[in-house]
Amino acid sequence: MTTSTRPTALHTVEAYFEALGQGDMDAVFALLDPEVEWLVPGDAALVPWAGRRTGHTAMREWFPMLAGAGERKDFELYGMAPLGADQVLANGRFVFRMHATGAVYDDEFVMRFTVRDGHITAYRIYEDSLALARAYRG
């Protein structure tokens, strides 16, 4: 029996968070499948980064849009757990102060990543989208 050198889904998601935390967007995009499906539930008319996006081009617009919306005050990753061979759940808490309103969005989240062959192919976040919209819109 041979051992595989392919990264596990958990290792891929750990590398994603490490690269994102360091602001290394080249490394982030190296971990995203070229056709990644990214879903942030909510109404894009209320919160511009909500909705479904597909592929690197859309994600190159999404990350700056999210970063430009507010100042990150805190981010804590409580833990991650594999869900089968190709999914990882990550849970934690983030706190943002929104530029437009000055309101603070403080929420816990669960993120679900799907990973194949060392690349993130899908993402979905579970958060309080109503509280997010209220903080962003005032």
Side-chain angles (χ1 to χ4, degrees), residues 63-110:
F63 281 108
M65 186 185 316
L66 178 63
E71 175 188 0
R72 185 179 79 185
K73 304 301 266 176
D74 194 18
F75 179 87
E76 183 178 358
L77 191 58
Y78 298 155
M80 291 186 278
L83 184 63
D86 68 345
Q87 291 192 24
V88 174
L89 298 178
N91 72 309
R93 176 178 169 256
F94 43 49
V95 181
F96 286 93
R97 179 175 306 281
M98 299 296 172
H99 293 310
T101 63
V104 173
Y105 175 58
D106 182 342
D107 195 18
E108 292 188 348
F109 62 81
V110 173

Side-chain angles (χ1 to χ4, degrees), residues 48-59:
W49 61 91
R52 183 178 307 277
R53 289 181 172 67
T54 302
H56 280 198
T57 300
M59 295 310 300

